[in-house]
Amino acid sequence: MNESRWSQISGYDAFISYSHTLDGALARALQIGLERFAKPWYRPRALRVFRDTTNLAANPDLWSSIENALASSTWLVLMASPQAAESKWVNRELVWWLQNKSPQRVLVVLTEGELAWGKDATDGHRMTAALPPALQDAFIKEPRWVDLRWLHNLDQVDQSNPRLRECVADVAAAVREVPKDTLVGEHIRQHRRTMRLLRGGVTVLTVLLIAAIVATVIAVDQRNQAVAAQHIAIARGMMTEADRVRDHDPRGALQLGVAAKYFDGSPPVQADLQLTLTSALHFRTLRRHSGAVYGVAFVRDGRTLATASADHTVRLWDVSDRDRPRPLGPSLTGHTSWVYGLAFAPDGRTLATASADRTVRLWDVSDLARPHQLGMPLTGHTGSVYGVAFAPDGRTLATVGFDQTVRLWDLSDRDRPHQLGMPLTGHTNTVLSVAFAPDGRTLATAGDDQTVRLWDVSDRDRPHQLGMPLTGHTGSVYGVAFAPDGRTLATAGFDQTVRLWDLSDRDRPHQLGMPLTGHTNTVRAVAFAPDGRTLATASFDQTVRLWDVSNRDRPQPLDPPLTGHTNAVRAVAFAPDGRTLATASSDRTVRLWKLPHFEEFLDGGVREACLRAGGPLDKATWKLYAPGVSYQDTCAVEH
């Protein structure tokens, strides 16, 4: 133990060690909670807490930066889970701590799985044990720990949640080494003091605002001011009614939104119209899974949809009538853990699914009324399998996983599949995503090592890596997709960006322009529309964004974002007709969206709203909301 070596270094009260894949949002909430709990109003934070995504600048020597942070931290807070137990970074941080500091300064926060100590941490408990190997023999007796397993979705990760606040108090009391009751009392006192100061500040600001308004009213012509106020009031009344009827009368809501924009073109009115348009785009929600939905895929004819879930099942849906989608029979069962990925073979007769149970399973879906598993599962991966993709000819299947490998499988005879040669190696961390180019000659893979790698699979018996990895992302790369012409590759990552790459010459790939930004959290998936002109991106910020990539050197966002999911959006897929989009989320639902003619959004959505509503507000409704104002065809006038 070298604890004395670091005893004079100070900087952080706590260092949070966690799995980015599982606990990214929860780790951020815990950091914020510790920094704010019992914080005096005049201090920026109550505790200094290190979390790698907030405290690390761009640095080629990542481990040195982490080691310095560990050295300057008083406590190590481990967010324990099966995923953290398998993380090489979490284990490396723990090994350093135990070599240089006391295990008595380790505080365990359990987010998933079970804590297994001593003999309990055997092979029989590995699928649920949350304790990393580095800690198996570190404690003489079971240490203090806090249970956060009840926190299942992003809606609960809110500082106002009393259960979360109670858990934060447990951790903060341990780190600050004061009784919890004392710390809670101090938190209440500081909160009351801050609110008193805030109310005083609001009073002063209110007085100043009133004085400014009075001065403005005096300076502005009274008649024009009255007209403007009347128009704003009319617009607000229309907006209020549009909000009320949006769900059951989308046509009326669109007409009211266009009329409100005629009277008041301010950003709030524009945003309200775009929200109504977005709501009109969403037309069906599929609800049958009992866990987060991780994957979604259309059959090539667009009539069938498959979804994969953390509830260990795969479901098939008949979407031939987009307005009346229905489940096809019972769910497909067989996997013993979360199903992360799935893909249909090009002929639509075979479905491949990948799971955390370390297997890939093939399903015969040629008869949708009686789908069944084909033979034994494909085994070989030594950890969770995250991605699966068919080659365009349907003869080759590619799979990627936690074991840092890419594996190719021969499906020429789908009843006797077998692995082709040795696994493809090169990634230095979990491989999360895989995609074939449309010509089947190139394979792209992406992972936690922050890189994208290209592989020449034109001779599938002798595949090899093409050149150097594609770098640029500053965090894990979760999604990868080829454009239909094969010249463009899109990637998405933890750094909240989407990047486009020119693969016209696959031996000399390069990034196209600046990263696409707009998402406010991890971007989990990407997909090109069949015509290659639109790109869809799904994010943990609960939105899906659409991008015009018809000019790939100057891609443009197609606002507004698609909203409605209440948790992280994990997968996205276009139907073959390009006018329907399916999205899958941790909120346990799949949503179907009717995509608009995005060129109609160039005027702020007025033309698209009028097109969908079938015309402007009628005269009777106009008179109800705008009495005394001459009727206008708001779909014909310029806004």
Side-chain angles (χ1 to χ4, degrees), residues 381-606:
H381 283 286
T382 59
S384 297
V385 189
Y386 290 110
V388 60
F390 278 96
D393 64 5
R395 296 173 55 243
T396 307
L397 184 74
T399 60
V400 297
F402 182 82
D403 60 8
Q404 305 179 16
T405 70
V406 183
R407 295 170 190 260
L408 300 180
W409 307 82
D410 184 347
L411 266 63
S412 301
D413 181 351
R414 63 176 188 166
D415 293 316
R416 297 177 179 82
H418 61 272
Q419 187 170 326
L420 288 163
M422 299 298 292
L424 306 185
T425 59
H427 281 288
T428 58
N429 207 327
T430 301
V431 192
L432 296 166
S433 184
V434 60
F436 276 98
D439 64 6
R441 298 173 57 242
T442 308
L443 185 73
T445 58
D448 276 337
D449 61 6
Q450 305 183 16
T451 72
V452 178
R453 294 172 189 260
L454 301 177
W455 309 84
D456 184 339
V457 290
S458 50
D459 181 352
R460 61 181 190 161
D461 293 317
R462 285 182 287 276
H464 60 273
Q465 186 171 326
L466 288 165
M468 299 298 292
L470 306 185
T471 59
H473 282 287
T474 58
S476 299
V477 188
Y478 287 106
V480 60
F482 282 94
D485 64 5
R487 296 172 55 243
T488 308
L489 184 75
T491 59
F494 181 80
D495 59 8
Q496 304 179 14
T497 71
V498 177
R499 295 169 191 260
L500 299 180
W501 309 83
D502 185 345
L503 267 62
S504 301
D505 181 351
R506 65 175 187 166
D507 294 316
R508 297 177 180 83
H510 61 272
Q511 185 170 325
L512 288 163
M514 299 298 291
L516 307 186
T517 59
H519 284 295
T520 58
N521 206 326
T522 298
V523 189
R524 189 64 180 80
V526 288
F528 280 96
D531 64 5
R533 299 178 59 223
T534 305
L535 180 72
T537 58
S539 171
F540 281 13
D541 65 9
Q542 305 182 18
T543 73
V544 174
R545 287 182 175 267
L546 298 167
W547 310 82
D548 180 352
V549 291
S550 52
N551 182 347
R552 60 182 191 159
D553 294 314
R554 295 181 180 84
Q556 298 293 326
L558 294 168
D559 289 329
L562 305 183
T563 60
H565 281 296
T566 59
N567 208 321
V569 189
R570 293 182 170 273
V572 60
F574 281 94
D577 63 6
R579 297 305 306 276
T580 303
L581 189 73
T583 58
S585 169
S586 290
D587 64 10
R588 306 180 181 182
T589 71
V590 174
R591 287 180 175 243
L592 300 179
W593 310 81
K594 287 181 179 177
L595 299 185
H597 301 281
F598 285 105
E599 60 273 12
E600 300 295 340
F601 277 95
L602 296 177
D603 67 341
V606 171

